[in-house]
Amino acid sequence: MERHDSHRSVTIISAVGLAAAVAMALWGLPAIDLHGPRHRWGVMGPTCGATRAAWFTAQGDLGRAWTYNPLGNLAVVLAGLAVVRTLIGLTTSRWVMWSVTGATTRRRILYAVALVLVTALEVRQQSRATLLMGP
């Protein structure tokens, strides 16, 4: 716990992301196309489907969100936790903090695991290209 918010950018990004998810739950998906050129060629990245997944998560349809992209569920939950952290910090003047410490070997293992997970997600999303290319 600290007396100031050392992760203010995370707080702001999370609040904006959570507000966007709530707005999409109320009014639907954005009217603009957010896809890059690779998507039009049928190449799916690890974030393909994440907007629709966040939309479904905000509506409470977690299964359908997972079908589009597991990151949608994770992003909305983490953004919600960041907002709760902000509310606690603003009311108590004590901010919950986190830090990544440890030996270089542990960090390298963490990076390797993250790389494997992102690669697995990209393969998963590519296997769902037909679903993700749809409307």
Side-chain angles (χ1 to χ4, degrees):
M1 301 289 277
E2 291 186 7
R3 293 209 172 269
H4 68 283
D5 186 4
S6 296
H7 299 291
R8 189 164 298 184
S9 61
V10 172
T11 302
I12 292 168
I13 291 168
S14 297
V16 169
L18 194 60
V22 170
M24 286 189 302
L26 295 173
W27 298 297
L29 292 170
I32 59 171
D33 186 5
L34 301 173
H35 299 110
R38 291 181 351 140
H39 181 85
R40 287 170 190 67
W41 302 329
V43 178
M44 303 296 120
T47 59
C48 283
T51 302
R52 283 176 277 185
W55 179 45
F56 289 126
T57 300
Q59 293 177 330
D61 192 347
L62 302 180
R64 199 161 175 199
W66 185 271
T67 300
Y68 277 93
N69 194 321
L71 289 180
N73 294 349
L74 181 64
V76 173
V77 169
L78 291 177
L81 289 173
V83 170
V84 168
R85 175 188 167 272
T86 300
L87 294 175
I88 291 169
L90 291 172
T91 57
T92 65
S93 297
R94 304 289 291 168
W95 293 85
V96 177
M97 303 305 290
W98 63 88
S99 63
V100 178
T101 61
T104 305
T105 303
R106 276 190 259 164
R107 276 192 240 147
R108 286 183 182 158
I109 291 170
L110 181 64
Y111 293 146
V113 168
L115 180 63
V116 167
L117 290 174
V118 168
T119 302
L121 181 59
E122 185 159 358
V123 169
R124 176 194 188 270
Q125 294 308 97
Q126 188 61 46
S127 73
R128 296 170 187 261
T130 303
L131 171 72
L132 297 173
M133 293 285 290

